[in-house]
Structure formats: C-alpha cells, structure tokens
Amino acid sequence: MFFVLPGLSMYFQMFLLLALLPAIVLMVYIYRLDPIDKEPDGLLWTLIIQGVYAALVSSLLEGVGMNVLGLYTGLDPQSASFEIVSDFLFVGVIEEGSKYWLMSRKTWNNLAFGCRFDGVVYAVFTSLGFAAAENLMYGFMYGPGVLFARAFMAIPAHMGFAVLFGLFYGQAKGMSVRGQKVGAGVLIAVGYVLSVLLHGLYDSAAMVGTNDSDAHFLLVVVVIYLVNFVLTRQAARNDRRFA
C-alpha cells in the first residue's frame, strides 16, 4: 500500500480527488470570474461548510417528506408519478431552501456583500459545498464509478441551480440597499422558485427512464451548461457596486 499523505492510502486519496475535484474546479472558476472585489476567504469557507450542513439537513428532511408523501397520497414509491412529485415538492424545495436559508444568514448583512455578482459567488460556493458532501455520500454508497458521471452532470447541475438563485439574490440585495424591501423580497422568491423548478426538472428527467425523459434530461443539461458558462460570464461583465 502506497501513502502520499500520512494515514491516507493512495486509493482513498484518489477517491477524494474524484469526489471533490469537480466542485473545487467550478468554485475556482466562479471565484476568478468575480470582476470587482474578491470575496474574503473566511466567508467562502464558511459558505462551503453551510453547504455541507444543508446536505445533512436535507437528507433528514427528505426522508421524512418521502414517508409523508407515500402515506398520504397512496402513490407507489417505485412509480414514475411518485418520483416526479417528490422531485418537485420535496427534493427541490428542501435542498434549495436549506442551502439558501443557511447562506443568507451568513451573507445578507455581511459588509463584503457589495456587488450584484457577489450573490452568484455566495450561492455557488454554498451549493457546491452541498454537492461535494453529496458526492462523498454517493461515492461511499455506490462506489467510485458513480463519481465520473456526477462530475459532468450532478455537480454542474447544482452550480446551475445556484447561479439562477444567485443572480436574483444579488439584484435583490441592491434593491434592498436602495430601500426597496418589497421588490427585494419578490426577487428572492422568484430566484428560489426558478432554482427549484430547474432542480425538479433535472432530477425527474434523470430518474424516470423513458425516451421522452432522456430527451428532456439532455435539454435540461444543455440549459444548465449555458447558465453556468454563458449567463455567468455575461453577469460578471455587467457587474456593478450597490453604492
């Protein structure tokens, strides 16, 4: 057995690399894209940890939600209908809600939050912390083979959900600074709903195995990549300070 770091086998280090590197690469991409003021390292690490907490909270709440859904609707847990309903009403709602609630507690009143694109940075770092923790759990449960597909699908998907919310979150902060509290609340709600809808579309198309769902899944993945690498660059180019 070979060791590169004390106490960690080569196999385990490769497993960690497969599980965590996709999220790290996307974090670096968003960090470098931030055009005005780079966010404090301490805040970004805090948001990653908040994402990990959100993954743990979501796993507990989703388990309860699935049981409630099966109990009160009578749907077969193995059916496509159950999968679609749970993806939209529980998985998307709980995961996006937990991520952004924990994120907002650390960022909304933070003095570093001074530009519109900061909202994207905060949402992405939180969401990718979530995705990295989820990736570790999937890797331990199903083996490292599942991590290759998730590197190009699930991890960018979590970033895409976050970018949608982050764009509205940053705009909402700007409105709040100008005293437009109601408008800010509306923007946050819209961003949250859009991220939940995209999350539900992704999960339901990925899990329901039909020809139509395969086509829908491919379309959703294309949209996610456009959001990640076209919309974010445009948002960064048009970034502005609030004051």
Short mmCIF file of all heavy atoms in Angstrom, two decimals, residues 37-98:
data_model
loop_
_atom_site.label_atom_id
_atom_site.label_comp_id
_atom_site.label_asym_id
_atom_site.label_seq_id
_atom_site.Cartn_x
_atom_site.Cartn_y
_atom_site.Cartn_z
N ASP A 37 -14.57 42.95 -6.52
CA ASP A 37 -13.90 42.65 -5.26
C ASP A 37 -13.99 41.15 -4.99
O ASP A 37 -15.09 40.60 -4.91
CB ASP A 37 -14.56 43.41 -4.10
CG ASP A 37 -14.41 44.91 -4.24
OD1 ASP A 37 -13.34 45.34 -4.70
OD2 ASP A 37 -15.36 45.64 -3.88
N LYS A 38 -12.84 40.51 -4.84
CA LYS A 38 -12.84 39.10 -4.47
C LYS A 38 -13.37 38.96 -3.04
O LYS A 38 -13.06 39.76 -2.16
CB LYS A 38 -11.43 38.50 -4.55
CG LYS A 38 -10.79 38.59 -5.93
CD LYS A 38 -11.59 37.84 -6.98
CE LYS A 38 -10.86 37.86 -8.33
NZ LYS A 38 -11.70 37.31 -9.41
N GLU A 39 -14.16 37.93 -2.83
CA GLU A 39 -14.78 37.73 -1.51
C GLU A 39 -13.77 37.18 -0.51
O GLU A 39 -12.84 36.45 -0.88
CB GLU A 39 -15.96 36.78 -1.64
CG GLU A 39 -17.02 37.25 -2.62
CD GLU A 39 -17.42 38.70 -2.37
OE1 GLU A 39 -17.97 38.97 -1.28
OE2 GLU A 39 -17.17 39.55 -3.23
N PRO A 40 -13.92 37.52 0.77
CA PRO A 40 -12.97 37.06 1.80
C PRO A 40 -12.92 35.53 1.87
O PRO A 40 -13.96 34.86 1.82
CB PRO A 40 -13.55 37.64 3.09
CG PRO A 40 -14.44 38.77 2.66
CD PRO A 40 -14.99 38.38 1.33
N ASP A 41 -11.70 35.01 2.02
CA ASP A 41 -11.53 33.56 2.08
C ASP A 41 -12.33 32.95 3.23
O ASP A 41 -12.92 31.88 3.09
CB ASP A 41 -10.04 33.22 2.26
CG ASP A 41 -9.23 33.54 1.02
OD1 ASP A 41 -9.84 33.78 -0.06
OD2 ASP A 41 -7.99 33.57 1.11
N GLY A 42 -12.32 33.63 4.37
CA GLY A 42 -13.04 33.09 5.53
C GLY A 42 -14.53 32.95 5.27
O GLY A 42 -15.15 31.96 5.66
N LEU A 43 -15.11 33.93 4.57
CA LEU A 43 -16.54 33.86 4.25
C LEU A 43 -16.82 32.72 3.28
O LEU A 43 -17.81 31.99 3.44
CB LEU A 43 -16.99 35.19 3.64
CG LEU A 43 -18.45 35.26 3.16
CD1 LEU A 43 -19.42 34.95 4.29
CD2 LEU A 43 -18.75 36.62 2.55
N LEU A 44 -15.95 32.55 2.29
CA LEU A 44 -16.17 31.48 1.31
C LEU A 44 -16.07 30.10 1.96
O LEU A 44 -16.87 29.21 1.65
CB LEU A 44 -15.16 31.61 0.16
CG LEU A 44 -15.28 32.89 -0.68
CD1 LEU A 44 -14.21 32.91 -1.76
CD2 LEU A 44 -16.67 33.00 -1.29
N TRP A 45 -15.11 29.92 2.86
CA TRP A 45 -15.01 28.65 3.58
C TRP A 45 -16.25 28.42 4.45
O TRP A 45 -16.75 27.30 4.55
CB TRP A 45 -13.75 28.61 4.45
CG TRP A 45 -12.52 28.23 3.70
CD1 TRP A 45 -11.47 29.03 3.36
CD2 TRP A 45 -12.21 26.93 3.17
NE1 TRP A 45 -10.53 28.32 2.66
CE2 TRP A 45 -10.96 27.03 2.53
CE3 TRP A 45 -12.87 25.71 3.18
CZ2 TRP A 45 -10.35 25.94 1.90
CZ3 TRP A 45 -12.27 24.62 2.56
CH2 TRP A 45 -11.03 24.74 1.93
N THR A 46 -16.74 29.48 5.05
CA THR A 46 -17.96 29.38 5.86
C THR A 46 -19.14 28.93 5.01
O THR A 46 -19.94 28.08 5.43
CB THR A 46 -18.28 30.73 6.52
OG1 THR A 46 -17.23 31.09 7.41
CG2 THR A 46 -19.60 30.67 7.28
N LEU A 47 -19.24 29.45 3.79
CA LEU A 47 -20.34 29.08 2.91
C LEU A 47 -20.23 27.63 2.45
O LEU A 47 -21.25 26.94 2.31
CB LEU A 47 -20.38 30.02 1.71
CG LEU A 47 -20.72 31.47 2.04
CD1 LEU A 47 -20.66 32.34 0.80
CD2 LEU A 47 -22.10 31.57 2.69
N ILE A 48 -19.02 27.17 2.22
CA ILE A 48 -18.83 25.75 1.87
C ILE A 48 -19.34 24.87 3.01
O ILE A 48 -20.05 23.88 2.78
CB ILE A 48 -17.35 25.46 1.57
CG1 ILE A 48 -16.92 26.19 0.28
CG2 ILE A 48 -17.12 23.95 1.42
CD1 ILE A 48 -15.42 26.14 0.02
N ILE A 49 -18.99 25.23 4.23
CA ILE A 49 -19.45 24.47 5.40
C ILE A 49 -20.97 24.54 5.52
O ILE A 49 -21.63 23.54 5.87
CB ILE A 49 -18.78 24.98 6.68
CG1 ILE A 49 -17.26 24.79 6.60
CG2 ILE A 49 -19.34 24.28 7.90
CD1 ILE A 49 -16.82 23.36 6.41
N GLN A 50 -21.54 25.70 5.24
CA GLN A 50 -23.01 25.81 5.27
C GLN A 50 -23.64 24.87 4.25
O GLN A 50 -24.70 24.29 4.50
CB GLN A 50 -23.43 27.26 4.99
CG GLN A 50 -22.99 28.28 6.01
CD GLN A 50 -23.45 27.95 7.41
OE1 GLN A 50 -24.62 27.82 7.68
NE2 GLN A 50 -22.48 27.81 8.32
N GLY A 51 -22.99 24.72 3.11
CA GLY A 51 -23.49 23.78 2.10
C GLY A 51 -23.46 22.34 2.60
O GLY A 51 -24.38 21.55 2.33
N VAL A 52 -22.39 21.99 3.34
CA VAL A 52 -22.31 20.65 3.91
C VAL A 52 -23.42 20.45 4.94
O VAL A 52 -24.08 19.39 4.96
CB VAL A 52 -20.92 20.43 4.57
CG1 VAL A 52 -20.87 19.09 5.30
CG2 VAL A 52 -19.82 20.51 3.51
N TYR A 53 -23.65 21.44 5.78
CA TYR A 53 -24.76 21.36 6.74
C TYR A 53 -26.08 21.17 6.01
O TYR A 53 -26.94 20.39 6.43
CB TYR A 53 -24.83 22.64 7.59
CG TYR A 53 -23.72 22.82 8.58
CD1 TYR A 53 -23.41 24.09 9.07
CD2 TYR A 53 -22.97 21.75 9.04
CE1 TYR A 53 -22.38 24.28 9.99
CE2 TYR A 53 -21.94 21.93 9.94
CZ TYR A 53 -21.65 23.20 10.41
OH TYR A 53 -20.63 23.38 11.32
N ALA A 54 -26.26 21.92 4.91
CA ALA A 54 -27.51 21.84 4.15
C ALA A 54 -27.72 20.43 3.60
O ALA A 54 -28.85 19.93 3.55
CB ALA A 54 -27.51 22.85 3.02
N ALA A 55 -26.64 19.77 3.19
CA ALA A 55 -26.76 18.41 2.68
C ALA A 55 -27.24 17.46 3.77
O ALA A 55 -28.08 16.58 3.53
CB ALA A 55 -25.41 17.94 2.12
N LEU A 56 -26.71 17.63 4.98
CA LEU A 56 -27.12 16.77 6.09
C LEU A 56 -28.58 17.04 6.49
O LEU A 56 -29.36 16.10 6.69
CB LEU A 56 -26.20 17.01 7.28
CG LEU A 56 -24.71 16.68 7.06
CD1 LEU A 56 -23.89 17.07 8.28
CD2 LEU A 56 -24.52 15.21 6.73
N VAL A 57 -28.93 18.32 6.57
CA VAL A 57 -30.32 18.68 6.92
C VAL A 57 -31.29 18.16 5.87
O VAL A 57 -32.35 17.60 6.19
CB VAL A 57 -30.44 20.21 7.07
CG1 VAL A 57 -31.90 20.62 7.19
CG2 VAL A 57 -29.67 20.69 8.29
N SER A 58 -30.93 18.33 4.59
CA SER A 58 -31.82 17.91 3.51
C SER A 58 -32.05 16.41 3.51
O SER A 58 -33.17 15.95 3.26
CB SER A 58 -31.22 18.33 2.16
OG SER A 58 -31.16 19.73 2.04
N SER A 59 -30.99 15.64 3.79
CA SER A 59 -31.15 14.18 3.78
C SER A 59 -32.14 13.73 4.84
O SER A 59 -32.94 12.80 4.61
CB SER A 59 -29.79 13.50 3.99
OG SER A 59 -29.26 13.80 5.28
N LEU A 60 -32.15 14.41 5.98
CA LEU A 60 -33.10 14.07 7.05
C LEU A 60 -34.52 14.49 6.67
O LEU A 60 -35.47 13.71 6.80
CB LEU A 60 -32.68 14.73 8.35
CG LEU A 60 -31.35 14.28 8.95
CD1 LEU A 60 -31.01 15.12 10.17
CD2 LEU A 60 -31.39 12.80 9.32
N LEU A 61 -34.67 15.72 6.19
CA LEU A 61 -36.00 16.22 5.85
C LEU A 61 -36.61 15.48 4.67
O LEU A 61 -37.82 15.24 4.63
CB LEU A 61 -35.92 17.72 5.54
CG LEU A 61 -35.56 18.64 6.71
CD1 LEU A 61 -35.49 20.08 6.25
CD2 LEU A 61 -36.56 18.49 7.85
N GLU A 62 -35.78 15.11 3.70
CA GLU A 62 -36.30 14.39 2.54
C GLU A 62 -36.80 13.01 2.94
O GLU A 62 -37.79 12.53 2.40
CB GLU A 62 -35.22 14.27 1.47
CG GLU A 62 -34.97 15.57 0.72
CD GLU A 62 -33.73 15.51 -0.14
OE1 GLU A 62 -33.30 14.39 -0.48
OE2 GLU A 62 -33.18 16.58 -0.48
N GLY A 63 -36.10 12.37 3.87
CA GLY A 63 -36.58 11.06 4.34
C GLY A 63 -37.95 11.15 4.96
O GLY A 63 -38.83 10.32 4.68
N VAL A 64 -38.16 12.18 5.77
CA VAL A 64 -39.48 12.40 6.36
C VAL A 64 -40.50 12.73 5.29
O VAL A 64 -41.62 12.21 5.27
CB VAL A 64 -39.42 13.54 7.40
CG1 VAL A 64 -40.82 13.87 7.92
CG2 VAL A 64 -38.49 13.17 8.55
N GLY A 65 -40.11 13.60 4.34
CA GLY A 65 -41.03 14.01 3.29
C GLY A 65 -41.47 12.86 2.41
O GLY A 65 -42.65 12.76 2.03
N MET A 66 -40.55 11.97 2.09
CA MET A 66 -40.90 10.81 1.25
C MET A 66 -41.91 9.91 1.95
O MET A 66 -42.85 9.39 1.33
CB MET A 66 -39.65 10.01 0.90
CG MET A 66 -38.63 10.76 0.08
SD MET A 66 -39.26 11.37 -1.48
CE MET A 66 -37.80 12.16 -2.13
N ASN A 67 -41.71 9.71 3.25
CA ASN A 67 -42.65 8.88 4.01
C ASN A 67 -44.04 9.52 4.06
O ASN A 67 -45.05 8.84 3.91
CB ASN A 67 -42.13 8.66 5.43
CG ASN A 67 -40.94 7.73 5.47
OD1 ASN A 67 -40.80 6.85 4.63
ND2 ASN A 67 -40.05 7.93 6.43
N VAL A 68 -44.07 10.83 4.26
CA VAL A 68 -45.35 11.54 4.29
C VAL A 68 -46.03 11.46 2.94
O VAL A 68 -47.25 11.22 2.85
CB VAL A 68 -45.13 13.01 4.71
CG1 VAL A 68 -46.41 13.82 4.51
CG2 VAL A 68 -44.66 13.09 6.15
N LEU A 69 -45.27 11.64 1.87
CA LEU A 69 -45.83 11.60 0.52
C LEU A 69 -46.44 10.23 0.23
O LEU A 69 -47.55 10.13 -0.29
CB LEU A 69 -44.75 11.92 -0.51
CG LEU A 69 -45.18 11.93 -1.97
CD1 LEU A 69 -46.22 13.02 -2.21
CD2 LEU A 69 -43.98 12.13 -2.90
N GLY A 70 -45.71 9.16 0.56
CA GLY A 70 -46.25 7.83 0.33
C GLY A 70 -47.45 7.51 1.18
O GLY A 70 -48.39 6.85 0.75
N LEU A 71 -47.46 8.05 2.41
CA LEU A 71 -48.55 7.76 3.35
C LEU A 71 -49.85 8.44 2.95
O LEU A 71 -50.93 7.84 3.00
CB LEU A 71 -48.13 8.18 4.76
CG LEU A 71 -49.13 7.94 5.88
CD1 LEU A 71 -49.37 6.44 6.06
CD2 LEU A 71 -48.63 8.56 7.19
N TYR A 72 -49.77 9.70 2.51
CA TYR A 72 -50.98 10.49 2.29
C TYR A 72 -51.46 10.53 0.85
O TYR A 72 -52.58 10.95 0.58
CB TYR A 72 -50.77 11.93 2.81
CG TYR A 72 -50.77 12.02 4.31
CD1 TYR A 72 -49.58 12.05 5.01
CD2 TYR A 72 -51.97 12.04 5.02
CE1 TYR A 72 -49.58 12.12 6.41
CE2 TYR A 72 -51.97 12.10 6.41
CZ TYR A 72 -50.78 12.13 7.09
OH TYR A 72 -50.78 12.19 8.47
N THR A 73 -50.62 10.13 -0.08
CA THR A 73 -51.06 10.12 -1.49
C THR A 73 -51.39 8.72 -1.99
O THR A 73 -52.11 8.58 -2.98
CB THR A 73 -49.98 10.73 -2.40
OG1 THR A 73 -48.81 9.88 -2.39
CG2 THR A 73 -49.61 12.13 -1.96
N GLY A 74 -50.84 7.71 -1.35
CA GLY A 74 -51.07 6.34 -1.81
C GLY A 74 -50.27 5.99 -3.05
O GLY A 74 -50.46 4.91 -3.62
N LEU A 75 -49.36 6.86 -3.48
CA LEU A 75 -48.55 6.57 -4.66
C LEU A 75 -47.52 5.49 -4.36
O LEU A 75 -46.96 5.43 -3.26
CB LEU A 75 -47.84 7.84 -5.13
CG LEU A 75 -48.72 8.97 -5.70
CD1 LEU A 75 -47.87 10.21 -5.95
CD2 LEU A 75 -49.39 8.51 -6.99
N ASP A 76 -47.27 4.65 -5.35
CA ASP A 76 -46.24 3.62 -5.23
C ASP A 76 -44.87 4.29 -5.24
O ASP A 76 -44.53 5.01 -6.19
CB ASP A 76 -46.35 2.66 -6.41
CG ASP A 76 -45.31 1.55 -6.35
OD1 ASP A 76 -44.52 1.51 -5.39
OD2 ASP A 76 -45.29 0.73 -7.29
N PRO A 77 -44.05 4.10 -4.20
CA PRO A 77 -42.73 4.73 -4.16
C PRO A 77 -41.83 4.37 -5.33
O PRO A 77 -40.85 5.08 -5.59
CB PRO A 77 -42.14 4.22 -2.83
CG PRO A 77 -43.33 3.89 -2.00
CD PRO A 77 -44.36 3.38 -2.96
N GLN A 78 -42.14 3.29 -6.03
CA GLN A 78 -41.34 2.88 -7.19
C GLN A 78 -41.87 3.45 -8.50
O GLN A 78 -41.28 3.22 -9.56
CB GLN A 78 -41.30 1.35 -7.28
CG GLN A 78 -40.81 0.65 -6.02
CD GLN A 78 -39.41 1.08 -5.63
OE1 GLN A 78 -38.54 1.23 -6.49
NE2 GLN A 78 -39.18 1.27 -4.34
N SER A 79 -42.98 4.17 -8.46
CA SER A 79 -43.61 4.65 -9.68
C SER A 79 -42.99 5.96 -10.16
O SER A 79 -42.41 6.72 -9.39
CB SER A 79 -45.11 4.85 -9.47
OG SER A 79 -45.35 5.92 -8.58
N ALA A 80 -43.18 6.23 -11.47
CA ALA A 80 -42.68 7.48 -12.04
C ALA A 80 -43.42 8.67 -11.45
O ALA A 80 -42.84 9.74 -11.24
CB ALA A 80 -42.84 7.45 -13.56
N SER A 81 -44.72 8.50 -11.16
CA SER A 81 -45.51 9.60 -10.60
C SER A 81 -44.96 10.02 -9.24
O SER A 81 -44.83 11.22 -8.94
CB SER A 81 -46.97 9.18 -10.45
OG SER A 81 -47.54 8.88 -11.70
N PHE A 82 -44.64 9.04 -8.41
CA PHE A 82 -44.07 9.34 -7.09
C PHE A 82 -42.74 10.07 -7.25
O PHE A 82 -42.47 11.04 -6.53
CB PHE A 82 -43.86 8.03 -6.31
CG PHE A 82 -43.33 8.24 -4.92
CD1 PHE A 82 -44.19 8.38 -3.85
CD2 PHE A 82 -41.96 8.28 -4.69
CE1 PHE A 82 -43.70 8.57 -2.56
CE2 PHE A 82 -41.46 8.47 -3.41
CZ PHE A 82 -42.33 8.61 -2.34
N GLU A 83 -41.91 9.62 -8.20
CA GLU A 83 -40.60 10.22 -8.42
C GLU A 83 -40.73 11.69 -8.83
O GLU A 83 -40.05 12.57 -8.30
CB GLU A 83 -39.84 9.45 -9.50
CG GLU A 83 -38.40 9.87 -9.68
CD GLU A 83 -37.55 9.54 -8.48
OE1 GLU A 83 -37.62 8.41 -7.97
OE2 GLU A 83 -36.81 10.45 -8.04
N ILE A 84 -41.64 11.96 -9.76
CA ILE A 84 -41.81 13.32 -10.26
C ILE A 84 -42.34 14.24 -9.17
O ILE A 84 -41.84 15.36 -8.96
CB ILE A 84 -42.74 13.33 -11.48
CG1 ILE A 84 -42.05 12.62 -12.66
CG2 ILE A 84 -43.12 14.75 -11.88
CD1 ILE A 84 -42.96 12.38 -13.85
N VAL A 85 -43.37 13.78 -8.45
CA VAL A 85 -43.96 14.61 -7.37
C VAL A 85 -42.93 14.88 -6.29
O VAL A 85 -42.79 16.02 -5.81
CB VAL A 85 -45.20 13.91 -6.79
CG1 VAL A 85 -45.69 14.66 -5.55
CG2 VAL A 85 -46.32 13.85 -7.82
N SER A 86 -42.19 13.86 -5.90
CA SER A 86 -41.20 14.05 -4.83
C SER A 86 -40.06 14.95 -5.26
O SER A 86 -39.55 15.75 -4.47
CB SER A 86 -40.65 12.69 -4.38
OG SER A 86 -39.94 12.05 -5.42
N ASP A 87 -39.66 14.86 -6.54
CA ASP A 87 -38.56 15.70 -7.03
C ASP A 87 -38.92 17.18 -6.97
O ASP A 87 -38.08 18.02 -6.63
CB ASP A 87 -38.19 15.32 -8.47
CG ASP A 87 -37.41 14.02 -8.53
OD1 ASP A 87 -36.80 13.64 -7.53
OD2 ASP A 87 -37.43 13.37 -9.60
N PHE A 88 -40.16 17.51 -7.31
CA PHE A 88 -40.56 18.91 -7.33
C PHE A 88 -40.98 19.41 -5.94
O PHE A 88 -40.61 20.51 -5.54
CB PHE A 88 -41.71 19.12 -8.32
CG PHE A 88 -41.26 19.20 -9.76
CD1 PHE A 88 -41.27 18.08 -10.57
CD2 PHE A 88 -40.81 20.40 -10.29
CE1 PHE A 88 -40.85 18.16 -11.89
CE2 PHE A 88 -40.40 20.49 -11.61
CZ PHE A 88 -40.42 19.36 -12.41
N LEU A 89 -41.77 18.60 -5.22
CA LEU A 89 -42.36 19.08 -3.97
C LEU A 89 -41.46 18.91 -2.76
O LEU A 89 -41.63 19.62 -1.76
CB LEU A 89 -43.69 18.37 -3.71
CG LEU A 89 -44.83 18.68 -4.69
CD1 LEU A 89 -46.11 18.01 -4.22
CD2 LEU A 89 -45.04 20.18 -4.83
N PHE A 90 -40.52 17.97 -2.83
CA PHE A 90 -39.69 17.72 -1.66
C PHE A 90 -38.21 17.95 -1.94
O PHE A 90 -37.58 18.78 -1.28
CB PHE A 90 -39.92 16.30 -1.12
CG PHE A 90 -41.24 16.13 -0.44
CD1 PHE A 90 -42.30 15.56 -1.11
CD2 PHE A 90 -41.44 16.57 0.85
CE1 PHE A 90 -43.54 15.43 -0.51
CE2 PHE A 90 -42.66 16.45 1.47
CZ PHE A 90 -43.72 15.87 0.79
N VAL A 91 -37.65 17.25 -2.91
CA VAL A 91 -36.21 17.32 -3.12
C VAL A 91 -35.78 18.74 -3.49
O VAL A 91 -34.92 19.34 -2.84
CB VAL A 91 -35.76 16.32 -4.20
CG1 VAL A 91 -34.26 16.45 -4.45
CG2 VAL A 91 -36.10 14.90 -3.79
N GLY A 92 -36.38 19.30 -4.55
CA GLY A 92 -36.01 20.63 -4.98
C GLY A 92 -36.29 21.68 -3.92
O GLY A 92 -35.45 22.54 -3.62
N VAL A 93 -37.48 21.62 -3.34
CA VAL A 93 -37.88 22.61 -2.34
C VAL A 93 -36.98 22.56 -1.11
O VAL A 93 -36.50 23.59 -0.62
CB VAL A 93 -39.35 22.38 -1.94
CG1 VAL A 93 -39.71 23.21 -0.71
CG2 VAL A 93 -40.29 22.74 -3.09
N ILE A 94 -36.72 21.35 -0.62
CA ILE A 94 -35.92 21.21 0.60
C ILE A 94 -34.46 21.54 0.36
O ILE A 94 -33.84 22.30 1.12
CB ILE A 94 -36.07 19.78 1.16
CG1 ILE A 94 -37.48 19.57 1.71
CG2 ILE A 94 -35.02 19.52 2.25
CD1 ILE A 94 -37.79 18.14 2.09
N GLU A 95 -33.88 20.99 -0.70
CA GLU A 95 -32.45 21.21 -0.93
C GLU A 95 -32.14 22.66 -1.24
O GLU A 95 -31.20 23.24 -0.67
CB GLU A 95 -31.94 20.28 -2.04
CG GLU A 95 -31.96 18.82 -1.65
CD GLU A 95 -31.28 17.92 -2.66
OE1 GLU A 95 -30.72 18.44 -3.66
OE2 GLU A 95 -31.31 16.69 -2.47
N GLU A 96 -32.90 23.26 -2.16
CA GLU A 96 -32.64 24.67 -2.47
C GLU A 96 -32.96 25.56 -1.28
O GLU A 96 -32.24 26.53 -1.00
CB GLU A 96 -33.44 25.10 -3.70
CG GLU A 96 -33.15 24.29 -4.96
CD GLU A 96 -31.66 24.21 -5.27
OE1 GLU A 96 -31.01 25.27 -5.35
OE2 GLU A 96 -31.14 23.09 -5.40
N GLY A 97 -34.02 25.26 -0.56
CA GLY A 97 -34.38 26.06 0.59
C GLY A 97 -33.34 26.00 1.69
O GLY A 97 -32.99 27.04 2.29
N SER A 98 -32.84 24.82 1.99
CA SER A 98 -31.85 24.70 3.06
C SER A 98 -30.55 25.39 2.69
O SER A 98 -29.93 26.06 3.54
CB SER A 98 -31.60 23.21 3.39
OG SER A 98 -31.08 22.52 2.27
#
